[in-house]
Amino acid sequence: MKRRKAKERYSTLAYLYNVTCSTVSAERIDVAIVEQYAFNVKGNSITKVAEVGGVIRAALTAQEIPIIEVASQTWKLISLGNARIKKKEIASLAAQLYSIVCETQDEVDASLMGVAVRLALLDCNIMGRRAESLRKFREKLSGVLNVQQKE
């Protein structure tokens, strides 16, 4: 029984690798912004998160796509103004601030990471702790984007 479940899991991971590679090729992605691993995940979920994250990172690396990792607190602070916002409040605030409406929480999170990237690239005038996070994130982005533009 365990062997069959493991084989199914590995097949799912291989499928995810192939889909990621083909999507990257088809969409001509220049850079990938990925959320850093969350270490507060409990139980077997941490294994699944690590496996999926590793497969996605491996597929991006195989396609020579630069990866910028961003902590969830960073994109939340930049896009929502609150690094410690409760998960159940994120979707409603995203809809209120940016008219972002998605089917799943993961889609909302990805959309807000995109908002954080846009804010960082637009050189917005933001004050306080949020400004410091924005500055550091902008430096990360600039480093990767400048290298790509020179190539």
Side-chain angles (χ1 to χ4, degrees):
M1 186 67 164
K2 279 187 177 185
R3 192 176 288 198
R4 192 173 89 212
K5 281 188 176 186
K7 187 174 180 180
E8 288 172 11
R9 191 172 89 236
Y10 298 147
S11 294
T12 300
L13 293 171
Y15 173 77
L16 179 59
Y17 179 89
N18 292 331
V19 166
T20 303
C21 286
S22 63
T23 301
V24 165
S25 296
E27 298 296 327
R28 296 186 307 248
I29 294 170
D30 296 321
V31 64
I33 311 296
V34 226
E35 189 175 61
Q36 287 178 347
Y37 292 112
F39 292 102
N40 60 347
V41 179
K42 295 180 177 122
N44 285 341
S45 296
I46 195 158
T47 303
K48 292 175 185 172
V49 167
E51 285 178 341
V52 169
V55 165
I56 290 171
R57 286 165 175 80
L60 292 166
T61 301
Q63 298 292 312
E64 298 181 358
I65 303 299
I67 300 168
I68 297 174
E69 290 188 332
V70 59
S72 64
Q73 294 87 351
T74 300
W75 65 257
K76 289 174 188 173
L77 183 62
I78 293 169
S79 61
L80 301 172
N82 182 351
R84 299 188 184 276
I85 190 168
K86 291 183 172 45
K87 197 164 193 74
K88 60 185 175 186
E89 297 171 358
I90 292 173
S92 63
L93 192 54
Q96 179 184 345
L97 293 174
Y98 305 108
S99 300
I100 293 173
V101 179
C102 301
E103 289 185 28
T104 69
Q105 185 65 47
D106 290 333
E107 291 171 346
V108 173
D109 292 353
S111 298
L112 289 171
M113 279 195 282
V115 168
V117 170
R118 275 184 246 130
L119 289 172
L121 295 176
L122 290 174
D123 201 21
C124 295
N125 188 17
I126 295 175
M127 312 280 262
R129 249 185 65 211
R130 191 173 173 198
E132 183 61 18
S133 288
L134 185 63
R135 184 189 63 73
K136 288 179 182 176
F137 187 49
R138 185 178 292 133
E139 286 175 4
K140 266 186 171 179
L141 287 171
S142 296
V144 171
L145 297 176
N146 287 341
V147 168
Q148 281 202 294
Q149 289 171 355
K150 290 177 185 175
E151 291 177 354

